[in-house]
Amino acid sequence: MNTGNAQSAKNAWRQTVARVVKSEMSVRGVKYQALSQRLEEVGVDQSADNLRNKVNKGIMGADLLLQILYVLKARPLDAALLEEILTDLSVSKE
């Protein structure tokens, strides 16, 4: 197994997570402080700085990702959207 390819794939998925969350935040005009407050309303304690770090790195648990998408009232995710982002990431690296 080529660890370089595995690492590249992992990074692509992390960038996809970051793009999805940032896109949903942008569409709704939500900044990290407001996201933190929305999460707090559903019992999730995450500071704005902590959220910024997790989103920018694309590293968070599935539970937090779902909680963020829920409080943002995110558009449905589908395989076509994920494929589009992954394709865009691979093209931008070439």
Side-chain angles (χ1 to χ4, degrees):
M1 180 169 131
N2 186 335
T3 56
N5 286 342
Q7 188 64 36
S8 179
K10 182 187 285 189
N11 288 339
W13 282 106
R14 289 178 177 176
Q15 289 177 1
T16 300
V17 168
R19 282 192 184 192
V20 166
V21 173
K22 287 178 182 182
S23 172
E24 292 300 320
M25 289 175 66
S26 177
V27 165
R28 286 153 189 77
V30 174
K31 304 284 186 204
Y32 288 101
Q33 186 61 45
L35 180 59
S36 175
Q37 291 167 344
R38 287 182 183 199
L39 286 167
E40 191 174 309
E41 290 170 6
V42 296
V44 179
D45 185 26
Q46 293 281 331
S47 71
D49 288 339
N50 194 26
L51 288 167
R52 184 177 297 105
N53 287 334
K54 288 180 179 186
V55 171
N56 285 333
K57 292 178 183 178
I59 302 173
M60 64 188 75
D63 55 342
L64 181 58
L65 175 60
L66 291 175
Q67 291 159 341
I68 289 171
L69 296 176
Y70 174 76
V71 299
L72 289 174
K73 298 183 182 357
R75 298 166 290 184
L77 288 176
D78 62 19
L81 172 63
L82 298 177
E83 186 174 349
E84 180 181 323
I85 293 169
L86 289 165
T87 299
D88 182 52
L89 289 171
S90 68
V91 169
S92 67
K93 288 183 178 180
E94 294 175 0

